[in-house]
């Protein structure tokens, strides 16, 4: 083995030992041995009660979102990611019947960092990519809709930050009738988690855009 090869081999050994020591001091012995996953859990993100009362939205569903990932770059070790999804809806008279006229969702996902490296793609995903990723978490009326970005704006006061909100539009079906809908999405980094916020409504109910914005500004992200 020549000098350059020995140097590279030594560097790799040092890096491997450093990662192992860092994980060991973080309580990840099982992860190092490959017999237990490294677990990351997000704090819950919920819409504020006052804003829900003012806008007429109510909690429709609250559930835990769990995803297991295998990190090839760390020797096929498993990472367990646990987040939360809360779905709020509003019903009113629309198209001659009582049905949903607004939806709001708050999804929290932990920032996954192992040995100082981030493995959470949300930090690099655009709002368009987030719509694709989380559309399955929202009401059926807004799933599988072919969307086009039609605008964006900054909204202040979302978990103490200015959020970049993108508006998408597309055509969905409400009780057998085609309806144009608007979907809004943004993300905010807060206390080590990513909080993704989505709202939607038929464009025939434009007042719901202001309600979605109010709900975004009301979101509370609990500490674990």
């Amino acid at each position: 083995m020549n000098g350059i090869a020995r140097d590279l081999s030594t560097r790799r050994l040092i890096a491997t030992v450093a990662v192992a020591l860092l994980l060991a001091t973080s309580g990840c012995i099982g992860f190092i041995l490959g017999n237990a996953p490294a677990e990351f859990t997000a704090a819950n993100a919920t819409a504020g009660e006052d804003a829900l009362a003012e806008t007429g939205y109510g909690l429709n569903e609250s559930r835990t979102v769990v995803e297991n990932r295998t990190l090839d770059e760390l020797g096929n070790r498993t990472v367990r990611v646990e987040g939360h999804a809360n779905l709020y809806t509003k019903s009113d008279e629309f198209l001659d019947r009582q049905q949903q006229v607004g939806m709001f969702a708050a999804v929290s996902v932990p920032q996954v960092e192992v040995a100082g490296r981030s493995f959470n793609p949300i930090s690099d995903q655009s709002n368009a990519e987030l719509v694709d990723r989380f559309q399955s978490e929202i009401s059926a009326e807004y799933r599988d809709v072919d969307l086009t970005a039609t605008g964006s704006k900054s909204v202040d006061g979302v978990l103490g930050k200015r959020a970049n909100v993108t508006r998408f539009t597309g055509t969905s079906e409400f009780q057998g009738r085609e309806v144009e809908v608007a979907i809004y999405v943004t993300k905010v980094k807060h206390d080590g988690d990513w909080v993704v916020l989505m709202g939607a409504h038929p464009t025939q109910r434009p007042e719901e855009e202001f309600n979605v914005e109010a709900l975004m500004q009301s979101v509370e992200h609990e500490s674990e």
Side-chain angles (χ1 to χ4, degrees), residues 1-131:
M1 181 183 295
N2 60 37
I4 294 176
R6 280 197 302 271
D7 184 52
L8 290 174
S9 179
T10 301
R11 289 183 182 181
R12 280 194 290 267
L13 176 60
I14 292 173
T16 301
V17 172
V19 170
L21 287 174
L22 181 56
L23 292 171
T25 56
S26 301
C28 299
I29 296 296
F31 180 74
I32 296 172
L33 298 176
N35 55 26
E39 298 184 352
F40 298 85
T41 303
N44 201 12
T46 58
E49 292 297 329
D50 289 344
L52 290 172
E54 291 172 3
T55 58
Y57 284 68
L59 181 63
N60 180 280
E61 181 183 6
S62 181
R63 62 190 182 90
T64 300
V65 180
V66 178
E67 181 179 352
N68 291 312
R69 303 173 187 169
T70 300
L71 304 181
D72 296 334
E73 54 268 72
L74 291 181
N76 293 320
R77 295 299 193 265
T78 300
V79 171
R80 184 179 186 274
V81 179
E82 182 177 305
H84 303 277
N86 293 289
L87 176 66
Y88 305 86
T89 56
K90 176 180 180 178
S91 295
D92 202 354
E93 188 75 17
F94 180 59
L95 300 179
D96 302 323
R97 67 187 68 189
Q98 190 80 8
Q99 59 182 316
Q100 188 187 127
V101 296
M103 182 283 308
F104 180 75
V107 182
S108 57
V109 180
Q111 175 66 39
V112 179
E113 291 188 0
V114 179
R117 298 174 60 191
S118 174
F119 296 92
N120 194 331
I122 287 181
S123 59
D124 298 321
Q125 287 185 324
S126 67
N127 285 346
E129 291 171 321
L130 291 174
V131 166

Side-chain angles (χ1 to χ4, degrees), residues 143-200:
R143 297 176 192 167
D144 303 319
V145 178
D146 188 14
L147 298 172
T148 301
T150 54
S152 63
K153 64 179 179 179
S154 295
V155 176
D156 289 323
V158 181
L159 291 172
K161 300 180 181 180
R162 176 176 293 182
N164 176 38
V165 180
T166 304
R167 183 179 191 265
F168 301 86
T169 56
T171 301
S172 184
E173 189 174 289
F174 280 65
Q175 300 293 331
R177 298 172 64 174
E178 287 193 349
V179 174
E180 184 182 63
V181 297
I183 297 180
Y184 309 85
V185 64
T186 190
K187 65 178 180 182
V188 174
K189 180 77 176 293
H190 187 260
D191 284 353
D193 295 334
W194 283 102
V195 178
V196 178
L197 305 175
M198 298 178 67

